Amino acid sequence: MIYDFNSIEKKWQKFWADNQTFKADNNAEKPKFYVLDMFPYPSGAGLHVGHPLGYIASDIYARYKRHKGFNVLHPQGYDSFGLPAEQYAIQTGQHPAITTEANIKTYRRQLDQLGFSFDWSREVRTSDPKYYKWTQWIFIQLFNSWYNIDSDKAEDIASLITIFSSEGNTNVNAVCDEDIILFNAAEWNSFTTKKQQEILLQYRLTYLAETEVNWCPALGTVLANDEIVNGVSERGGHPVIRKKMTQWSMRISAYAQRLLDGLNTIDWPQPLKDSQTNWIGRSQGAAVTFYTADEKKYPISVFTTRPDTIFGVSFMTLAPEHELVAEITTSEQKAEVEAYIEATAKRSERDRMADVKTISGAFTGAYAEHPFTKEPIPIWIGDYVLAGYGTGAVMSVPCGDQRDYDFAKHFNIPIPNIFEGVDISEEAFADKEKTIIANSDFLNGLSYKKAVKTAIYELEKLGQGKGKINYRLRDAVFSRQRYWGEPFPVYYVDGMPQMIATDYLPITLPEVEKYLPTETGEPPLGNATTWAWDTVANKVVANAEIDNKRVWPLELNTMPGWAGSSQYFNRYMDPHNNNAIFSEEAINYWQDVDLYIGGSEHATGHLLYSRFWQKFMFDRGFVPKDEFAKKLINQGMITGTSAFVYREEGTGNVISKNLINGKSVIPIHADVSLVNASDELDVEGFRNWQKDYKNSEFILEDGKYIVGREVEKMSKSKYNVVNPDAICEEYGADSLRLYEMFLGPLEQSKPWNTAGITGVHSFLKKLWKLYHSGADSSFVISDEEPTKDSYKTLHKTIKKVEEDIENFSFNTSVSTFMICVNELTAQKCTSKEILEPLAILVSPYAPHIAEELWSKMGHSKSISTAEFPKFEPSYLVESSKKYPISFNGKMKFTMELSLDLSKDEIEEAVMEHEKTQQQLQGRTPKKVIVVPGKIVNIVG
RNA sequence: GCUCGAGUGGUGGAAUUGGUAGACACGUUGGACUUAAAAUCCAAUGGACAUUAGUCCGUAUGGGUUCAAGUCCCAUCUCGAGUACCA
């Protein structure tokens, strides 16, 4: 009987589906284990061989944990809102829901054929109204919450209203907008409802605010910083400009410190933690207030990490956008300042980035007063100061900061030296550790640390400063001018946002004629004709019914891509619950994700926002853990191996790689499916594929055309995409699963080369043969007592595979299986004692063949219910060891010695050996190092 | 520029606390079987010299620690990822 993988795999995939083998129970006696993959965006291109890498790894782990007696939750779903489907809709008029549905079908078929043990009964789709009902629900919870710094957590907005109406806001310590007015209880109670709502909005965790955004006119949308590459949109490469818009924001900044602290409690890759740490960008220093030297005494607050250098300030720099600029600029300087502001506004992000070195700025003509020396300090504006960071103003200390130094040099501003014994004639001195402060009044002679403390103390005495921690992390804009996203459960009464009661969720996406922004520049939902909220009937009605009494307009923006993915891991716990985002029983049973596998590209997007929402959900008592994933692994990327043919310039001949010899050629991508393992091109196939080359002359070497190879990212445009469907057809899913693991460590990126798959495929055939040693290769398994060697082979395999899986070293397990099967084949082992546990060992990696062998051995239940074989160390105990005998650290020969020997006995035996004498050639060794069980090294 | 990660045969990669470098595969070469091909099996395969032993060199480069270094320390180079004037 041959190994007919195609029918075996189909058979077991059907068995698993029919029997719901991997359906997870929400209240089992067994301990829980939650293995999660980052769910995919279902793109039109389908899966290529790089996509399943992480899914295979997590599937192996999930299957292993089942064997180990855990109740495993291993769900899968789709992040199905997103721009590509919308772009396609704009181009073709096809509704994104239809495109998405079709793409999901392809994904599902491709995932199924790989034999994953997903519990598909729990599938979620972010674009499904039954799912996004709960995304809208979370939004409402955020709206109805504020961040209390005293309790250091989010609380219900009702508690804030209670405080306002009983004592006003003077004692409230909250994370809120900067421009808060102070009021007492009586004033609060006398405010109009609208006024009260305006004030509350300044405290809510999601709030409407005027934000400066990256507006892309061509796409009609706002882009996040990470959606802009080199100043143009990542998709399409359209120009991006800065623009002010009223948008929903998330007060993630409230959680900056906790997001930082939480990193210490989770087992995530260090590079990922580092990039979140950088993104949050905590810096400790002081807020200092300077006052202008004129009679108006405008306060200018700055943030500095170096309050110890305050006596080195020789000018101040404001961002050109700073609101004080217009107020303080003198009439003489007005023209110059305005010209500079205009020039910077025109400069695109791209120009600014490409040109970091150019120093530019303008003098405002105004002066500030130094808090201690009372000397006048000139106030400049310069675009190296960013309006969006800190206060948009800096105290410039040219001797201690290179940018300030460069600016001062360029504009001939004095550079006072406040460091003892340091030369600053060439560059600024930014070292904190070796600093001794000089020329600084009461700070003279102090070290950095002491000077910082003293400076802050003195500033506080003056009432002109205090210690402060600043974060780079900005509140996250949550509005998108797009169609294919979650609608907000929000309508507007007199311009003030109102939440729709959660009973009436979901608010489903309206139908529109066109998916583009409206002619008046409103988002695509502005095209909807049935998009108004009837506050009495509590339903969406036609826009024509808007009377601004009972029927009001609905929000036109939709939510960003990360909305749907920020709590999906919790929704999987109870995905069909229509009364709650999840039941208490479900969340209390599953708690959190034990293992999360996905790409590192989500480091500062999805993974930061999810942690933020999780902490919010924790504060409000919805979830028991404030971090959602205990352990996270980034799988590396599988790159493609592109193939190139070379067209000679001039002649147009296509020259085989080794015949180029310095000729001037242009490399052209060839489809990798036209190239065999020996880099030979199917010339006829190439001619038929690229009609332009139909009649070109191909210059061959030894009758073959040899292509060039290069490792690149797998993409359609490089013709290097390898599709898993064809591989499953030719070698089977088990081969593909094994091979993807065999390629190398999970976390490393590595190039794909289909040729190597024959190695794991023939391993599976050998495995099959081990169980089919009868006449006509029929199934044979015996009750014979296994040999010692067979036991040893099995148990060293159990040990290694178990260690490997626990350490996520899946590549080495595959090698271990190969060695095991090679050895058992040589031993002619047919014992059930050995072959039964072997099938279980293999089953997480190659589940189809394992199920088939398992059932042939007479089992009626799935192999996934079998217990993982227990490692028995006694089978590996050795009585002797083949010692490597080294001379001066270099191994010369080996010697078999009993492990019972003492150090001295070993030394004696080694010294007596004739090869030792031969090596020594009569010399007496200076020293003999004996490490029992390891090595002998003879020195001298 | 800064932060982080990585450099091992022709290729993917192995190598526990420092203890036989190159496991396991791919590829290549030779052989068996076959009319032939595929499949399968056997042997060789880091480099150089010697081809019988054997000797020397080898884990990016240069130093160091050690009886012993791919592994630890210092410096340099190269590649990859993240970030972009963060005061």
Side-chain angles (χ1 to χ4, degrees):
Chain A
M1 217 187 146
I2 58 146
Y3 169 44
D4 180 5
F5 51 86
N6 281 326
S7 66
I8 291 171
E9 291 178 358
K10 282 202 184 73
K11 170 182 163 188
W12 289 104
Q13 282 160 14
K14 184 168 185 304
F15 177 93
W16 297 327
D18 290 349
N19 292 281
Q20 302 213 41
T21 308
F22 306 113
K23 195 169 180 331
D25 197 341
N26 270 4
N27 35 34
E29 289 298 301
K30 295 177 185 173
K32 70 99 188 184
F33 202 91
Y34 186 176
V35 182
L36 182 65
D37 296 294
M38 289 185 190
F39 62 171
Y41 173 79
S43 82
L47 293 177
H48 65 62
V49 291
H51 292 119
L53 182 72
Y55 301 156
I56 295 169
S58 64
D59 197 58
I60 290 169
Y61 206 81
R63 286 174 178 272
Y64 168 74
K65 281 288 176 183
R66 287 193 196 96
H67 289 307
K68 281 287 190 180
F70 288 85
N71 182 31
V72 174
L73 175 56
H74 186 38
Q76 188 57 287
Y78 304 97
D79 188 13
S80 49
F81 271 135
L83 202 49
E86 179 159 330
Q87 290 285 61
Y88 191 73
I90 290 167
Q91 285 159 20
T92 64
Q94 173 93 280
H95 195 287
I98 297 170
T99 323
T100 304
E101 178 70 37
N103 292 350
I104 286 177
K105 275 216 169 75
T106 307
Y107 266 62
R108 179 62 191 272
R109 180 185 58 73
Q110 291 188 301
L111 291 170
D112 279 346
Q113 83 184 351
L114 290 169
F116 293 126
S117 63
F118 292 130
D119 177 357
W120 282 109
S121 74
R122 293 173 185 257
E123 181 196 301
V124 300
R125 300 177 185 189
T126 56
S127 61
D128 179 352
K130 292 200 286 294
Y131 177 88
Y132 69 66
K133 169 178 176 175
W134 298 105
T135 312
Q136 293 174 335
W137 176 86
I138 296 169
F139 177 80
I140 295 170
Q141 304 310 311
L142 284 155
F143 183 82
N144 288 326
S145 301
W146 64 293
Y147 200 92
N148 185 344
I149 296 173
D150 291 335
S151 63
D152 200 21
K153 64 176 200 175
E155 292 180 12
D156 195 311
I157 198 82
S159 69
L160 187 65
I161 296 171
T162 308
I163 299 170
F164 284 176
S165 56
S166 62
E167 54 172 279
N169 71 347
T170 40
N171 291 321
V172 169
N173 196 8
V175 179
C176 57
D177 289 1
E178 301 251 306
D179 50 342
I180 292 281
I181 54 154
L182 293 179
F183 50 82
N184 60 32
E187 284 169 322
W188 170 261
N189 293 322
S190 69
F191 289 152
T192 60
T193 310
K194 186 174 176 184
K195 176 83 180 167
Q196 289 181 341
Q197 286 184 1
E198 272 172 15
I199 292 167
L200 287 171
L201 207 45
Q202 295 184 297
Y203 288 86
R204 296 179 190 276
L205 283 183
T206 184
Y207 59 98
L208 270 180
E210 189 131 286
T211 12
E212 192 160 275
V213 294
N214 304 304
W215 174 253
C216 179
L219 295 173
T221 188
V222 167
L223 299 175
N225 280 328
D226 47 327
E227 288 169 319
I228 303 167
V229 177
N230 296 330
V232 295
S233 63
E234 191 180 16
R235 294 189 60 81
H238 305 294
V240 176
I241 57 164
R242 300 192 66 73
K243 183 181 164 184
K244 282 210 164 180
M245 276 182 83
T246 300
Q247 307 211 73
W248 287 102
S249 280
M250 288 280 163
R251 223 177 280 281
I252 188 173
S253 57
Y255 285 88
Q257 189 60 46
R258 284 171 64 191
L259 287 168
L260 216 46
D261 295 340
L263 291 173
N264 297 323
T265 67
I266 47 181
D267 182 8
W268 287 20
Q270 196 55 42
L272 197 157
K273 288 187 183 181
D274 289 344
S275 77
Q276 289 208 350
T277 305
N278 291 338
W279 194 261
I280 295 167
R282 180 186 201 267
S283 51
Q284 193 159 9
V288 183
T289 309
F290 288 71
Y291 292 95
T292 52
D294 57 9
E295 62 285 350
K296 290 204 174 135
K297 299 219 172 291
Y298 289 112
I300 303 174
S301 60
V302 300
F303 174 75
T304 177
T305 54
R306 296 293 302 273
D308 58 314
T309 63
I310 189 145
F311 287 93
V313 175
S314 62
F315 60 105
M316 295 186 76
T317 316
L318 309 187
E321 299 90 341
H322 198 283
E323 52 186 8
L324 263 185
V325 174
E327 308 285 338
I328 61 171
T329 303
T330 59
S331 45
E332 303 87 73
Q333 292 299 109
K334 204 171 174 195
E336 191 189 333
V337 165
E338 277 174 2
Y340 182 70
I341 292 171
E342 212 188 309
T344 13
K346 264 193 204 157
R347 273 178 96 191
S348 67
E349 280 297 292
R350 189 182 205 173
D351 289 344
R352 275 208 191 183
M353 281 210 211
D355 181 23
V356 187
K357 295 246 158 59
T358 309
I359 294 158
S360 67
F363 179 45
T364 61
Y367 291 85
E369 187 187 82
H370 192 282
F372 297 116
T373 65
K374 309 296 178 194
E375 295 286 322
I377 305 165
I379 303 172
W380 288 69
I381 59 173
D383 69 358
Y384 81 96
V385 176
L386 306 175
Y389 182 74
T391 58
V394 301
M395 56 174 232
S396 303
V397 184
C399 66
D401 181 284
Q402 194 57 43
R403 287 154 309 167
D404 294 344
Y405 186 93
D406 295 340
F407 194 88
K409 272 261 150 119
H410 190 259
F411 290 108
N412 279 320
I413 303 169
I415 305 175
N417 190 353
I418 52 149
F419 301 114
E420 206 169 285
V422 168
D423 174 28
I424 53 153
S425 60
E426 291 301 321
E427 56 177 9
F429 177 74
D431 195 330
K432 290 177 188 173
E433 300 312 314
K434 297 173 206 153
T435 319
I436 299 292
I437 306 288
N439 302 326
S440 297
D441 196 353
F442 53 84
L443 298 178
N444 284 342
L446 297 181
S447 68
Y448 161 73
K449 269 192 180 162
K450 281 188 180 158
V452 167
K453 274 191 188 158
T454 312
I456 291 173
Y457 175 79
E458 292 294 332
L459 282 165
E460 275 176 10
K461 270 211 312 211
L462 281 181
Q464 279 190 254
K466 57 176 193 236
K468 195 187 170 185
I469 291 161
N470 212 41
Y471 298 94
R472 196 186 79 126
L473 184 69
R474 301 266 71 87
D475 282 348
V477 176
F478 199 66
S479 297
R480 293 295 128 96
Q481 292 66 47
R482 286 181 189 156
Y483 176 75
W484 194 229
E486 297 86 350
F488 285 85
V490 172
Y491 62 97
Y492 288 86
V493 173
D494 295 334
M496 290 308 295
Q498 312 294 324
M499 294 296 120
I500 290 168
T502 52
D503 289 352
Y504 307 110
L505 300 181
I507 303 304
T508 53
L509 260 181
E511 294 303 317
V512 292
E513 285 286 315
K514 289 190 318 184
Y515 302 98
L516 283 168
T518 65
E519 273 148 32
T520 52
E522 286 177 325
L525 293 193
N527 292 316
T529 52
T530 305
W531 196 238
W533 185 249
D534 183 327
T535 55
V536 176
N538 284 306
K539 61 175 192 174
V540 176
V541 295
N543 297 7
E545 293 185 39
I546 294 175
D547 57 5
N548 292 329
K549 285 191 190 109
R550 148 187 180 143
V551 179
W552 305 89
L554 279 158
E555 168 76 50
L556 299 181
N557 288 294
T558 54
M559 298 187 195
W562 57 271
S565 58
S566 293
Q567 280 288 297
Y568 79 113
F569 36 83
N570 288 332
R571 181 66 179 165
Y572 277 135
M573 296 172 185
D574 193 10
H576 308 299
N577 194 330
N578 205 31
N579 302 315
I581 182 167
F582 36 70
S583 69
E584 276 192 43
E585 299 79 63
I587 191 80
N588 285 330
Y589 178 72
W590 293 110
Q591 298 267 321
D592 56 1
V593 176
D594 293 282
L595 174 65
Y596 194 21
I597 297 188
S600 56
E601 66 273 22
H602 299 108
T604 50
H606 162 59
L607 291 173
L608 196 61
Y609 298 130
S610 295
R611 292 183 58 225
F612 158 43
W613 278 26
Q614 181 76 4
K615 288 188 187 299
F616 165 72
M617 294 285 281
F618 175 78
D619 286 353
R620 296 301 313 273
F622 298 118
V623 298
K625 293 286 178 76
D626 77 335
E627 289 290 347
F628 75 94
K630 283 196 198 88
K631 180 167 180 73
L632 186 140
I633 289 186
N634 290 131
Q635 89 275 16
M637 194 176 39
I638 291 189
T639 47
T641 314
S642 304
F644 293 91
V645 299
Y646 302 94
R647 190 185 68 212
E648 187 179 9
E649 278 184 289
T651 65
N653 289 343
V654 182
I655 307 175
S656 188
K657 182 184 143 196
N658 300 307
L659 300 176
I660 296 171
N661 293 330
K663 291 192 188 84
S664 175
V665 292
I666 300 164
I668 295 151
H669 277 101
D671 195 307
V672 287
S673 63
L674 297 170
V675 180
N676 72 9
S678 309
D679 294 345
E680 294 159 15
L681 179 73
D682 170 4
V683 175
E684 275 319 296
F686 186 82
R687 283 197 162 116
N688 290 329
W689 174 60
Q690 290 288 14
K691 301 291 183 205
D692 294 355
Y693 294 87
K694 189 92 196 144
N695 299 312
S696 298
E697 190 170 341
F698 283 72
I699 315 288
L700 310 180
E701 48 183 300
D702 301 331
K704 297 163 193 157
Y705 187 95
I706 305 295
V707 296
R709 289 289 201 172
E710 212 170 292
V711 172
E712 297 180 293
K713 203 170 165 176
M714 221 176 246
S715 95
K716 248 180 170 175
S717 62
K718 298 187 170 88
Y719 301 108
N720 60 1
V721 172
V722 182
N723 182 291
D725 298 13
I727 292 177
C728 282
E729 183 63 32
E730 198 175 347
Y731 299 99
D734 284 341
S735 290
L736 181 61
R737 290 171 62 111
L738 280 173
Y739 187 53
E740 295 228 357
M741 294 298 103
F742 188 61
L743 276 178
L746 180 60
E747 287 162 278
Q748 246 171 52
S749 92
K750 53 237 155 187
W752 179 265
N753 177 10
T754 305
I757 200 169
T758 55
V760 293
H761 187 64
S762 56
F763 156 73
L764 287 175
K765 285 199 253 182
K766 284 183 207 165
L767 176 73
W768 181 261
K769 270 195 194 162
L770 208 48
Y771 297 75
H772 293 82
S773 54
D776 304 328
S777 303
S778 60
F779 180 80
V780 171
I781 194 159
S782 72
D783 288 322
E784 267 171 48
E785 174 66 16
T787 63
K788 258 191 168 170
D789 280 348
S790 296
Y791 272 125
K792 190 176 159 187
T793 299
L794 175 70
H795 282 271
K796 79 178 181 196
T797 306
I798 296 172
K799 180 168 189 277
K800 177 82 172 122
V801 169
E802 194 164 348
E803 283 168 3
D804 284 348
I805 297 179
E806 301 280 359
N807 294 319
F808 304 96
S809 172
F810 302 111
N811 53 326
T812 47
S813 290
V814 181
S815 309
T816 304
F817 289 136
M818 289 174 172
I819 294 166
C820 176
V821 167
N822 288 347
E823 287 181 4
L824 292 177
T825 304
Q827 293 158 12
K828 299 196 172 27
C829 175
T830 56
S831 307
K832 191 177 175 186
E833 282 283 291
I834 302 293
L835 297 184
E836 209 169 68
L838 176 62
I840 302 170
L841 285 183
V842 169
S843 80
Y845 291 79
H848 307 90
I849 192 172
E851 286 277 21
E852 181 70 12
L853 295 171
W854 188 249
S855 80
K856 283 187 163 198
M857 284 185 280
H859 300 279
S860 55
K861 275 165 80 183
S862 164
I863 194 168
S864 65
T865 61
E867 199 186 322
F868 202 76
K870 201 174 169 321
F871 168 61
E872 195 56 69
S874 60
Y875 290 111
L876 301 192
V877 174
E878 300 270 2
S879 60
S880 69
K881 153 97 190 166
K882 218 166 120 192
Y883 279 90
I885 312 300
S886 307
F887 292 80
N888 298 318
K890 281 176 191 155
M891 203 280 289
K892 293 296 177 186
F893 62 93
T894 59
M895 215 178 142
E896 181 103 20
L897 290 170
S898 165
L899 281 166
D900 297 334
L901 297 183
S902 71
K903 266 189 171 188
D904 291 341
E905 287 167 325
I906 294 171
E907 184 173 339
E908 197 182 327
V910 170
M911 292 312 292
E912 274 170 10
H913 199 278
E914 58 170 306
K915 282 195 174 168
T916 306
Q917 296 310 319
Q918 202 179 313
Q919 284 293 334
L920 284 172
Q921 292 182 319
R923 291 188 310 260
T924 314
K926 285 195 197 117
K927 211 196 239 181
V928 179
I929 311 270
V930 178
V931 185
K934 284 247 161 102
I935 198 171
V936 176
N937 190 17
I938 297 163
V939 187

